[in-house]
Amino acid sequence: MRILFPASEVVPFSKTGGLADVSGALPIVLAERGHEVRVVTPLYRTVSREQLRETGRTFTLQFPFGDVVVRTWEASLHERATVVFLDVPQLFDREQLYGDARGDYSDNARRFAVLSMAALTDAQAVGFEPDILHCHDWQTGLAPMALRRGYAGAFPKTKSVLTVHNLAYQGGFQKSELPQLGIPWSDFSPGGVEFWDHLSMLKTGIVFADAVTTVSPTYAKEISSPQDGMGLDGVLRAKPGGVIGIVNGIDENEWSPATDVYLPARFSDADLAGRAVCRSTLLETMRLQPPADGMPLFGVIGRMVEQKGADLLHAALPVFLEHGAAVVVLGSGAAKLEQGWKTLAARYPLRVGVKLGYDTGLAHLIEAGSDFFLMPSRFEPCGLNQMYSQRYGCVPIVHAVGGLVDTVQDVRRGEGTGISFRGATVEAVQGALQRAMELYQSKQTFLEVQRRGMRTDFSWDASAARYEAVYAELAERG
Ligand code: ADP
């Protein structure tokens, strides 16, 4: 099949979260399975042009807000998976992907309308007629509508899929943007692009796509319910076949402890000795004292947003730190949550190591050197770090929601690979930490849990096969 794959971030070129990992990995696996994939993404300032080749292909998109001239560059992920970069300096040559300290960029509706339309225009320019248009999140939500409306006369047979990576980001904009983007007022209705008197790009994608998927079966159930559907559950339930949950895989080329180039020592489920070296290096790097005898080192990585539950950790951890446990933290985000970690580090300088920022190498070292990984997310569409953790023998402690339910089995069930707790409260987190202590002190059981996690298959193959089945079903619908 031919798959057109517009995405606002793609590893290894740009990344703020899990979406980038998916759009960097899934196209490669699909290509390996014989499909031809064209990923289309903005040329942000952070993308190094040395990795790219200029195509000489330029086109102009005509929007009511003005003409947009797009130069294109390309890179290859695989011989059948090409990434097309949209070079529009006035829109994409900026410090960040979506916004800065002052908030989201005010022209995001236009920036990502350009991504959606350019994906179709570019495919047409090169004669790539897709069987499937696979869109991701609100940033590409206008593309299924454009396809359905025969934008630029393109592709009457193409079917569209929208994957929701996180329902909390809906791409809501003032309705005054509608005429600027060329969307007719007749579409501004509850059955169309309107959501609470605004334009919602995510809703637009959901309404117009032929199928909607999300990144885990449990999250699919959650967002189809009024309680967690953020006002969109009705639209989601109305899709024929509902929302399909397909758990993300992980990129095993990047995340394998036996070959990881970021680690001072490598290890595997057969021989975990290198793990101890990674743990020491991690403690040294973060200038921490080794935890007290029999006490674990906890790791935390991720965007510091309310979703991830860092505030729960700030309240839950001190009693365990008092007993000699330690924690290393990597991430950035909301000032209040960053401050919470800084305060904890000031109080326990030898027990709490915090690095505010983005650091791929340190992320790998934290997975390889911590004993447990903390992920008390209030909600979690899929989550990747809990999978990396299991692969690295770092036992995850997770709130039982979304993808965390689908990828971590509690040790209570005998065959488990992690600790899973219910209820996003400080008491529940402390209960889970207490269980972690006990598990850690029972060395043999802990080792078995580590090994089971390391042997679990989180590869993309099974997930890619499920996407393939969705594509095939749509193509058959004709
Ligand atoms: P989300 O998409 O909600 O941010 P995921 O767990 O699905 O959460 O994916 C987050 C990805 O980003 C993981 O690959 C994680 O390792 C990475 N990541 C997040 N913050 C950082 C950071 N500060 N430094 C390095 N990697 C990070």
Side-chain angles (χ1 to χ4, degrees):
M1 283 188 173
R2 290 179 144 195
I3 301 143
L4 182 59
F5 201 103
S8 59
E9 41 189 283
V10 183
V11 159
F13 307 104
S14 53
K15 169 162 164 172
T16 69
L19 160 63
D21 293 291
V22 175
S23 40
L26 179 58
I28 298 176
V29 186
L30 289 169
E32 282 166 357
R33 297 170 73 92
H35 305 289
E36 206 180 325
V37 190
R38 248 179 122 69
V39 181
V40 183
T41 198
L43 183 66
Y44 300 111
R45 185 178 302 168
T46 48
V47 181
S48 132
R49 292 182 191 211
E50 279 154 30
Q51 303 164 269
L52 317 181
R53 48 183 185 271
E54 196 165 4
T55 64
R57 205 167 58 251
T58 300
F59 51 84
T60 303
L61 301 174
Q62 291 173 327
F63 282 96
F65 70 79
D67 285 358
V68 179
V69 178
V70 183
R71 268 169 76 189
T72 56
W73 301 66
E74 284 182 4
S76 300
L77 294 171
H78 179 278
E79 59 177 2
R80 283 186 296 279
T82 302
V83 187
V84 180
F85 294 86
L86 307 172
D87 186 0
V88 187
Q90 72 275 24
L91 296 182
F92 299 127
D93 184 11
R94 304 203 183 159
E95 208 65 45
Q96 306 280 340
L97 272 55
Y98 308 125
D100 53 25
R102 283 168 298 174
D104 289 346
Y105 293 132
S106 60
D107 56 353
N108 272 351
R110 299 175 189 193
R111 296 171 78 223
F112 293 101
V114 165
L115 170 59
S116 292
M117 304 307 164
L120 293 167
T121 305
D122 182 68
Q124 204 185 28
V126 296
F128 182 91
E129 182 168 2
D131 299 286
I132 297 292
L133 168 69
H134 189 166
C135 300
H136 301 271
D137 281 351
W138 69 263
Q139 290 90 340
T140 53
L142 295 189
M145 177 166 81
L147 180 72
R148 186 79 68 85
R149 292 282 152 76
Y151 173 79
F155 317 135
K157 284 190 267 171
T158 305
K159 293 288 189 288
S160 60
V161 178
L162 175 84
T163 296
V164 177
H165 294 262
N166 193 333
L167 193 73
Y169 300 94
Q170 302 192 346
F173 300 99
Q174 297 294 336
K175 61 185 172 191
S176 54
E177 277 300 315
L178 250 73
Q180 298 300 324
L181 300 175
I183 302 173
W185 284 109
S186 53
D187 279 321
F188 194 67
S189 68
V193 308
E194 187 259 352
F195 189 61
W196 296 103
D197 206 34
H198 280 69
L199 159 67
S200 163
M201 288 204 183
L202 183 65
K203 181 178 172 187
T204 303
I206 294 171
V207 167
F208 286 92
D210 295 303
V212 175
T213 73
T214 189
V215 289
S216 70
T218 300
Y219 191 61
K221 263 188 241 148
E222 288 170 352
I223 63 177
S224 303
S225 76
Q227 193 189 326
D228 298 314
M230 296 180 154
L232 289 172
D233 50 291
V235 192
L236 290 167
R237 283 195 306 273
K239 298 307 290 180
V243 186
I244 303 157
I246 303 177
V247 103
N248 290 331
I250 64 174
D251 180 352
E252 294 188 332
N253 290 323
E254 193 191 340
W255 293 95
S256 283
T259 52
D260 192 321
V261 291
Y262 295 104
L263 303 184
R266 319 245 151 83
F267 56 94
S268 69
D269 61 309
D271 179 4
L272 275 118
R275 240 194 155 264
V277 179
C278 294
R279 191 177 191 262
S280 307
T281 307
L282 176 59
L283 289 166
E284 268 165 41
T285 309
M286 302 304 282
R287 296 172 204 280
L288 297 184
Q289 232 173 31
D293 256 3
M295 297 303 277
L297 172 62
F298 297 108
V300 181
I301 305 168
R303 295 178 298 121
M304 288 184 192
V305 291
E306 145 119 5
Q307 175 198 339
K308 304 285 179 182
D311 53 319
L312 299 172
L313 295 175
H314 299 155
L317 278 168
V319 56
F320 297 92
L321 301 170
E322 294 286 347
H323 283 93
V327 59
V328 291
V329 181
L330 168 64
S332 63
K336 204 175 110 209
L337 297 171
E338 291 188 356
Q339 188 53 49
W341 284 118
K342 282 194 230 164
T343 306
L344 209 60
R347 203 166 137 202
Y348 300 100
L350 299 176
R351 297 277 181 236
V352 180
V354 178
K355 169 138 186 209
L356 299 176
Y358 199 91
D359 186 335
T360 304
L362 183 58
H364 283 245
L365 187 61
I366 291 177
E367 297 290 9
S370 314
D371 303 307
F372 292 95
F373 191 84
L374 299 173
M375 212 157 163
S377 307
R378 292 193 162 80
F379 65 93
E380 193 59 76
C382 177
L384 292 167
N385 276 306
Q386 82 283 6
M387 291 192 266
Y388 302 150
S389 299
Q390 288 169 79
R391 230 175 130 54
Y392 279 65
C394 177
V395 177
I397 301 177
V398 302
H399 182 210
V401 286
L404 301 175
V405 172
D406 299 321
T407 56
V408 179
Q409 276 241 19
D410 192 274
V411 291
R412 272 206 195 105
R413 294 184 201 156
E415 287 301 290
T417 57
I419 290 176
S420 167
F421 63 91
R422 291 187 186 280
T425 64
V426 175
E427 293 69 34
V429 173
Q430 285 181 326
L433 293 176
Q434 186 56 42
R435 288 179 60 210
M437 299 291 176
E438 287 155 20
L439 174 64
Y440 190 65
Q441 280 153 15
S442 159
K443 286 219 163 345
Q444 191 52 37
T445 318
F446 182 70
L447 184 63
E448 282 163 21
V449 173
Q450 284 181 301
R451 287 219 162 103
R452 269 202 296 277
M454 296 179 83
R455 288 174 190 150
T456 307
D457 181 7
F458 293 112
S459 66
W460 263 105
D461 266 328
S463 312
R466 298 212 51 209
Y467 278 110
E468 228 171 53
V470 172
Y471 299 162
E473 206 261 318
L474 287 177
E476 266 168 34
R477 254 192 234 171

